[in-house]
Amino acid sequence: MSSHQNSLMRSTEPPIDMLPVEDAVERILSFCQQLSPETRAIDDAVGQVLATDITAPFDIPPHDNTAMDGYAVQSASTTGASEANPVRLRVIGELAAGYLYEQSVGPGEAVRIMTGAPMPDGADTIVPFEETDEEGLRAPGQAHAVIEDVGILKAAGPGNNIRRRGEDVRQGQQVLDAGTVLRGPEVAVLASLGVAEVQVIRRPQVAILSTGDELLTPGEAPAPGKIYDSNSYGLSALVTQYGGLPRRFGIAQDTIPALTAKINEALASCDLIITSAGVSRGDFDVVKEVLAREGAIDFWTVRMKPGKPLAFGEFAAPNGRRVPHIGLPGNPVSSLLAFELFGRLAIYQMMGRQPQPRPILRAIADDDIVNTDWRRVYARATLNQADDGRWHARLTGPQGSGVLTSMALANGYAVCPEDQERIQAGEECDVIMVDWDHPLD
Ligand code: AMP
Ligand code: MG
């Protein structure tokens, strides 16, 4: 770590005015209600949460059917069959998946059958092609030669290669519970039940609002003293990633009337308001002021680094709805990291998902992580597994709260606890696994 961090003095007393991270999470979640259900096509509902239980209207599979391409026969017809002495059966028909065989299979008879086709009456076993001499009977390249009889090379026991009616799902069975998050497999189960639309908890409309006279919108020409608004874009991407519907309301100038007007615009349609910047102690930090005047502040400042100046509260919308407001810090790293810790869980709770923390991996810190003022430090890190199988967390360069690229390079946040002055390189630490599937270098 840099020498200037080593030389920073740590105060002897922990702060009393900052809210611990867990308390901040709890308070934010206590303001976030689960939203109402909506009807959606199943292929449009991935990531959403079922609002009702789903019960099977029929058995799956609906019929006994063959698990192999082969011949449907009576097992008794195959007694004594071997490669040396094949039993010859008369082929009385062919059956593809999707059709029913109208007649019945008798002794000495076989129906040529394809995977998924319902079992013909009379047959009680399937002899796969591999256990017949069919290949030898067919001229090369002739896929559909008419086969009049087939040699069975191996005796087949009753029930072989049959998928039983209802072996997956029974009629009347509760297949999916209300509260289930729909992923690919759940969507497939719904489709297998013939369900085209489901009731799911709707996604929150999340208003995203940047504040600051210095901000330009990407696409605008650069100008002296100005910087581009990165927060609202990063936040809107994260809202999408976590399942919400981002609604960007642009940039508010640092005045109370400008911000109040934007907030009122957002309140008309949104379930959650996210602002960035304007929550420190500076002269133009108007976000807290507007929240206090127009709504109510629940807390301000969290015991974390980065991300300490965070204002949280709620506004009353014109129709009486109460809309929570997370006033994130302006520094880009603080803003995105605080959203990851608090905003993600707020969205989950509104969508009916369990607001669970990310998994933690124990890893060896490859760099010192310094804690100067009794806050919980979240250091941006890359996780790598060494040859000995142990995980290592390497910091992604300078850790200033304005160093946005330190976030972009990270797939984990290494944590130095509030009451610990530093984690020495070589010591173990907790690492929050943020994007487990983000490529490691
Ligand atoms: P503030 O909380 O308003 O004092 O802002 C803290 C720092 O974050 C300042 O350096 C701002 O210029 C910067 N900042 C504020 N909003 C944004 C934004 N939307 N995108 C990028 N940086 C920002
Ligand atoms: Mg500002």
Side-chain angles (χ1 to χ4, degrees), residues 210-211 214-215 227-232 276-280 285 329-332:
S210 289
T211 70
E214 74 275 39
L215 299 178
I227 59 166
Y228 286 108
D229 165 20
S230 58
N231 289 350
S232 74
S276 76
V279 282
S280 319
D285 289 336
N331 281 308

Side-chain angles (χ1 to χ4, degrees), residues 133-403:
D133 63 1
E134 165 166 322
E135 273 308 303
L137 293 177
R138 196 185 275 170
Q142 238 189 313
H144 290 291
V146 178
I147 296 169
E148 287 178 351
D149 65 57
V150 66
I152 308 294
L153 307 180
K154 199 173 159 192
N160 285 3
N161 304 311
I162 297 173
R163 301 190 285 218
R164 292 294 175 194
R165 170 180 178 159
E167 77 176 16
D168 185 356
V169 169
R170 287 257 168 226
Q171 180 178 12
Q173 181 185 330
Q174 189 169 311
V175 189
L176 296 171
D177 303 339
T180 301
V181 181
L182 298 180
R183 306 166 305 163
E186 286 80 10
V187 171
V189 165
L190 290 167
S192 77
L193 297 169
V195 172
E197 288 183 333
V198 275
Q199 292 281 106
V200 287
I201 308 299
R202 71 176 176 84
R203 301 175 182 278
Q205 306 256 6
V206 182
I208 297 171
L209 182 48
S210 289
T211 70
D213 291 1
E214 74 275 39
L215 299 178
L216 295 172
T217 299
E220 286 185 314
K226 308 288 183 187
I227 59 166
Y228 286 108
D229 165 20
S230 58
N231 289 350
S232 74
Y233 290 85
L235 292 168
S236 125
L238 288 176
V239 166
T240 302
Q241 200 176 323
Y242 299 146
L245 300 169
R247 298 283 177 258
R248 291 197 311 106
F249 284 85
I251 298 164
Q253 299 296 299
D254 283 322
T255 69
I256 289 174
L259 183 60
T260 306
K262 291 272 190 194
I263 297 261
N264 283 332
E265 211 186 314
L267 280 176
S269 59
C270 290
D271 303 297
L272 172 65
I273 295 180
I274 306 284
T275 58
S276 76
V279 282
S280 319
R281 293 181 196 271
D283 288 348
F284 302 99
D285 289 336
V286 295
V287 170
K288 242 180 348 164
E289 180 89 24
V290 170
L291 179 57
R293 281 179 180 219
E294 307 287 322
I297 294 188
D298 186 63
F299 67 78
W300 177 56
T301 68
V302 184
R303 203 171 156 190
M304 60 187 277
K305 183 179 182 171
K308 173 174 124 184
L310 185 142
F312 176 74
E314 67 173 7
F315 292 102
N319 57 7
R321 279 182 312 121
R322 311 190 75 77
V323 179
H325 168 210
I326 305 179
L328 297 169
N331 281 308
V333 173
S334 317
S335 185
L336 296 184
L337 196 133
F339 185 81
E340 157 62 33
L341 291 186
F342 305 114
R344 183 181 76 93
L345 298 181
I347 289 175
Y348 275 25
Q349 177 136 313
M350 288 182 163
M351 292 182 72
R353 295 184 73 139
Q354 286 299 321
Q356 270 164 351
R358 300 273 198 186
I360 302 262
L361 189 74
R362 291 290 286 173
I364 297 162
D366 285 346
D367 301 286
D368 284 7
I369 303 169
V370 182
N371 189 350
T372 53
D373 58 358
W374 304 90
R375 290 189 265 161
R376 185 179 300 174
V377 176
Y378 295 91
R380 277 76 69 207
T382 310
L383 283 164
N384 279 296
Q385 199 171 21
D387 291 342
D388 64 3
R390 301 177 73 181
W391 286 93
H392 287 253
R394 195 178 61 239
L395 300 192
T396 55
Q399 295 285 306
S401 57
V403 185

Side-chain angles (χ1 to χ4, degrees), residues 52-199:
T52 61
D53 297 333
I54 301 289
T55 303
F58 45 74
D59 289 337
I60 299 178
H63 309 276
D64 288 356
N65 69 91
T66 174
M68 303 276 289
D69 297 327
Y71 286 88
V73 305
Q74 294 189 351
S75 53
S77 304
T78 68
T79 307
S82 69
E83 299 221 1
N85 280 310
V87 171
R88 299 216 75 78
L89 302 180
R90 194 160 65 83
V91 179
I92 58 168
E94 252 198 335
L95 188 62
Y99 300 93
L100 294 174
Y101 192 69
E102 301 296 349
Q103 287 122 52
S104 180
V105 177
E109 293 177 341
V111 166
R112 197 160 180 276
I113 192 168
M114 305 309 140
T115 303
M119 284 300 286
D121 285 345
D124 67 351
T125 193
I126 297 291
V127 179
F129 286 155
E130 298 84 327
E131 294 173 13
T132 70
D133 63 1
E134 165 166 322
E135 273 308 303
L137 293 177
R138 196 185 275 170
Q142 238 189 313
H144 290 291
V146 178
I147 296 169
E148 287 178 351
D149 65 57
V150 66
I152 308 294
L153 307 180
K154 199 173 159 192
N160 285 3
N161 304 311
I162 297 173
R163 301 190 285 218
R164 292 294 175 194
R165 170 180 178 159
E167 77 176 16
D168 185 356
V169 169
R170 287 257 168 226
Q171 180 178 12
Q173 181 185 330
Q174 189 169 311
V175 189
L176 296 171
D177 303 339
T180 301
V181 181
L182 298 180
R183 306 166 305 163
E186 286 80 10
V187 171
V189 165
L190 290 167
S192 77
L193 297 169
V195 172
E197 288 183 333
V198 275
Q199 292 281 106

